[in-house]
Amino acid sequence: MLSFEQKQKVIETFPELTKKEISLNRLNYHFEESLHEKTIVVEKLHPNGNGFVYIGDLLKYENESNDKGLVNIRDYDEEKLREILSDAIEYLSEDPEQPIIEQWASRDGSEIELVYEKRSWNVYYQQNLEESFGTRESAVSYLKEEGFRKK
């Protein structure tokens, strides 16, 4: 587990975050350029090492987050902390209304769409939802296993 000071040093390597002191010697770090209403990325970082990172509804963290989209980072090491901070900033940087659509095809000519919408990578066949994934890597792995290649 990283100390409060170590977590601060890692967080402050992200120049897009702005530190704001709050009560009880705790800190919040804001991402002012957020495309969402939410701007706080790191919430209530406490001198005892406890704190939270906002990841919204990213499926990648669904087993770690609470109902407010916060993940407790108390026991995070440097690598995990950097990863979740990058994911949180990326999440808040993306327009939640703008889907990403990729066309995929199999050797037999079947076509399928991989669509990033509402924080999920969804696989559609003829407008029917076939599968949903928390990361693009998982979705791509599935499509390749099924014999599809990106067009």
Side-chain angles (χ1 to χ4, degrees):
M1 177 177 97
L2 298 173
S3 69
F4 172 73
E5 293 78 14
Q6 290 169 319
K7 286 180 181 159
Q8 261 190 288
K9 284 182 183 176
V10 171
I11 294 165
E12 291 174 7
T13 64
F14 291 84
E16 54 269 77
L17 299 179
T18 305
K19 177 171 69 173
K20 298 197 179 180
E21 295 181 12
I22 59 173
S23 62
L24 304 173
N25 296 319
R26 296 174 300 170
L27 301 172
N28 283 347
Y29 287 85
H30 292 254
F31 177 53
E32 303 296 345
E33 295 165 21
S34 174
L35 296 178
H36 300 247
E37 282 187 39
K38 182 80 169 172
T39 64
I40 300 174
V41 172
V42 179
E43 198 168 302
K44 299 175 185 150
L45 182 63
H46 192 277
N48 69 10
N50 201 24
F52 300 90
V53 171
Y54 178 74
I55 49 75
D57 55 4
L58 279 175
L59 290 178
K60 180 176 179 180
Y61 297 99
E62 69 182 333
N63 295 326
E64 298 177 63
S65 65
N66 65 20
D67 60 345
K68 294 181 182 178
L70 297 168
V71 173
N72 190 311
I73 58 168
R74 179 180 184 85
D75 297 324
Y76 271 39
D77 62 17
E78 182 175 346
E79 182 180 337
K80 281 185 75 175
L81 182 57
R82 285 186 186 286
E83 180 180 355
I84 196 168
L85 290 170
S86 294
D87 289 343
I89 292 167
E90 181 180 336
Y91 173 81
L92 292 172
S93 296
E94 295 172 351
D95 183 348
E97 302 303 318
Q98 185 65 40
I100 298 170
I101 301 171
E102 296 178 0
Q103 304 296 324
W104 289 67
S106 66
R107 290 184 185 187
D108 69 5
S110 297
E111 293 190 8
I112 207 161
E113 285 186 336
L114 177 60
V115 181
Y116 182 66
E117 57 189 349
K118 298 182 181 173
R119 306 297 164 231
S120 298
W121 288 94
N122 299 316
V123 176
Y124 289 94
Y125 176 71
Q126 296 179 346
Q127 299 180 336
N128 294 316
L129 179 64
E130 295 292 320
E131 292 287 338
S132 208
F133 299 90
T135 65
R136 184 177 186 284
E137 293 78 23
S138 298
V140 167
S141 177
Y142 167 80
L143 289 170
K144 288 182 176 178
E145 286 174 15
E146 295 295 319
F148 286 88
R149 298 289 176 253
K150 190 173 177 182
K151 288 175 77 176

